[in-house]
Amino acid sequence: MVSSPGPRLRPDLEALPSYKAGQRPAPRTDITTYKISSNESHHAPLESVQAAIVAAAADVNRYPDPFSSDLIAAISSHFNVPPEHISLGTGSVALCGQIIQSAAGPGDEILYAWRSFESYPIWTGIAGAHSVQVPLRPDETHDLEAMRNAITPRTRVIFICSPNNPTGQIVDPAELEEFIANVPSEIVIVLDEAYVEYVPHEKRAESIRLYREKPNVVVLRTFSKAYGLAGLRVGFAISQEPISNALRKTALPFGVSSIAQAAAIASIEAESELLERVKSVVAERDRVARELKEMGYQLNPSYANFIWMRLSNDTEAMYQALEQAGLSVRPFPSEGLRISIGETEANNRFIEVARSVSIASAVPR
Ligand SMILES: *Cc1c(COP(=O)(O)O)cnc(C)c1O
């Protein structure tokens, strides 16, 4: 028998990193465990949102509205932007991919800070494009000057993740404006604002104004974090044409389900209740950060719903201690841990473990 070579796939896919999703904790009978590894909301959906989900379920024998007209109308009036400027995706992670597919191909360069959101290198690789990663500054903020200097004639897309996942830092609004003003207008600039609701208003970039002024700026938002709909997969981009058209062309047909559309509309309607939850998460984040600092850990401010501990060689030890205590967090080996803010009990347990580990190793960072 002639040996078969097997299916022929693109060899460059071998080099692609796989997305490392936050783990669920191992099942335990002795203690309650907590999944604080994916920056999800720990709150169950509001009753009004659950009711919208149940109502939409009665209709799932039909395809969803492919244009998501009602949801687009709701987003349009919420942000006071024309409906044609809104593009939906199956989570804003999908929109990151659509932007790259719309603007870049083999040999083109996608520029972003590193460490940042893991989807950027993956989508870049899928498109056959080349990642240009600019190290964060020592305080974990974007080095916009270095990013500006890293632009080449092949640069097609620049991602600015603010607050940055996983480090939690934001880009200074004035620095961002200056940066955008100095980027050639043919390069697409993506402002990935998945966590913007957790940032105090006075520290937020005026991203909607920036998109109005600049046809190359795309603002990315999601219903997965502050709005608590991670399981339903819906996010959106706000950009002028022609980018918004390109994002509709590259979207998965019927990708945003009717249930997701209904839940997102109900969430916009319940925004004030959801923002109360965001406030409580912010208060918890600041409490946890304060406690850690008092123990001697050096933390940069986090503006998201998680804490970043740069632990270098102590990462594994802290990860193991948290795992033992029933807390599943997101490790970045030899770099640090990203710990989502969760239930008060989860946050308290995290504080306790951090205290015991710092005493044991006596090398708080
Ligand atoms: C969570 C996250 C997203 C969006 O996730 P979706 O669930 O796909 O909407 C986008 N960007 C960053 C940086 C994130 O952390």
Side-chain angles (χ1 to χ4, degrees):
M1 211 168 78
V2 185
S3 81
S4 131
R8 182 134 139 197
L9 302 177
R10 276 169 49 188
D12 59 325
L13 290 186
E14 300 265 328
L16 268 190
S18 323
Y19 190 88
K20 293 183 199 68
Q23 298 293 306
R24 285 180 189 281
R28 295 269 287 259
T29 49
D30 52 337
I31 46 171
T32 312
T33 59
Y34 295 97
K35 178 175 187 274
I36 46 175
S37 54
S38 296
N39 300 341
E40 297 145 331
S41 168
H42 64 277
H43 296 282
L46 295 169
E47 270 179 34
S48 59
V49 176
Q50 292 200 32
I53 289 171
V54 170
D59 218 19
V60 294
N61 52 312
R62 305 288 175 191
Y63 282 105
D65 169 8
F67 308 110
S68 306
S69 315
D70 293 345
L71 176 54
I72 296 244
I75 296 170
S76 163
S77 70
H78 190 74
F79 288 94
N80 191 24
V81 301
E84 315 82 74
H85 289 180
I86 300 161
S87 325
L88 293 180
T90 54
S92 62
V93 73
L95 287 156
C96 294
Q98 288 164 245
I99 290 164
I100 292 175
Q101 282 176 315
S102 301
D108 291 332
E109 293 174 358
I110 311 298
L111 177 60
Y112 48 88
W114 199 249
R115 182 167 279 281
S116 187
F117 190 33
E118 295 180 283
S119 288
Y120 307 153
I122 295 172
W123 286 123
T124 301
I126 290 173
H130 179 65
S131 278
V132 177
Q133 302 182 332
V134 175
L136 296 168
R137 292 189 285 219
D139 68 353
E140 318 265 11
T141 56
H142 279 57
D143 189 343
L144 292 182
E145 195 187 329
M147 290 180 75
R148 170 74 189 86
N149 292 331
I151 292 172
T152 76
R154 301 303 313 250
T155 307
R156 294 291 176 271
V157 179
I158 302 174
F159 284 95
I160 308 274
C161 188
S162 181
N164 188 44
N165 178 5
T167 63
Q169 280 273 40
I170 48 172
V171 171
D172 176 75
E175 261 191 71
L176 178 65
E177 293 222 13
E178 197 199 318
F179 175 78
I180 290 174
N182 286 304
V183 170
S185 59
E186 70 266 24
I187 299 175
V188 177
I189 304 172
V190 182
L191 307 179
D192 186 344
E193 298 193 316
Y195 302 96
V196 72
E197 294 86 357
Y198 302 94
V199 181
H201 279 276
E202 68 276 12
K203 300 214 171 204
R204 291 184 195 177
E206 290 183 62
S207 53
I208 302 296
R209 176 173 59 74
L210 291 169
Y211 121 80
R212 286 201 178 100
E213 291 171 5
K214 298 277 179 182
N216 61 328
V217 167
V218 185
V219 179
L220 280 189
R221 300 284 182 92
T222 179
F223 287 98
S224 295
K225 309 284 162 55
Y227 290 84
L229 299 179
L232 285 177
R233 316 305 306 125
V234 51
F236 57 98
I238 301 180
S239 57
Q240 298 185 31
E241 291 151 49
I243 295 178
S244 61
N245 283 332
L247 295 181
R248 277 189 287 275
K249 284 188 187 168
T250 49
L252 180 70
F254 302 106
V256 180
S257 74
S258 46
I259 294 180
Q261 293 179 34
I265 293 168
S267 299
I268 291 173
E269 284 165 4
E271 188 183 44
S272 56
E273 276 172 279
L274 291 168
L275 292 182
E276 282 305 309
R277 291 176 163 190
V278 165
K279 256 194 214 165
S280 74
V281 169
V282 165
E284 275 292 271
R285 174 196 74 202
D286 292 346
R287 175 179 75 92
V288 173
R290 218 166 34 240
E291 295 264 3
L292 293 174
K293 279 190 194 156
E294 276 170 18
M295 293 171 213
Y297 291 98
Q298 282 168 30
L299 301 182
N300 292 304
S302 169
Y303 293 95
N305 63 345
F306 55 82
I307 300 254
W308 168 248
M309 297 177 92
R310 190 168 277 283
L311 295 163
S312 308
N313 295 333
D314 297 326
T315 301
E316 180 64 19
M318 181 68 84
Y319 178 75
Q320 291 301 339
L322 291 165
E323 189 70 24
Q324 288 264 311
L327 302 177
S328 186
V329 306
R330 176 69 166 81
F332 294 81
S334 305
E335 287 182 64
L337 298 177
R338 191 193 67 200
I339 301 104
S340 309
I341 296 301
E343 297 81 350
T344 308
E345 167 57 20
N347 306 334
N348 287 343
R349 207 183 290 171
F350 166 41
I351 292 168
E352 280 165 39
V353 173
R355 183 171 284 119
S356 67
V357 170
S358 74
I359 290 163
S361 65
V363 282
R365 307 179 63 96

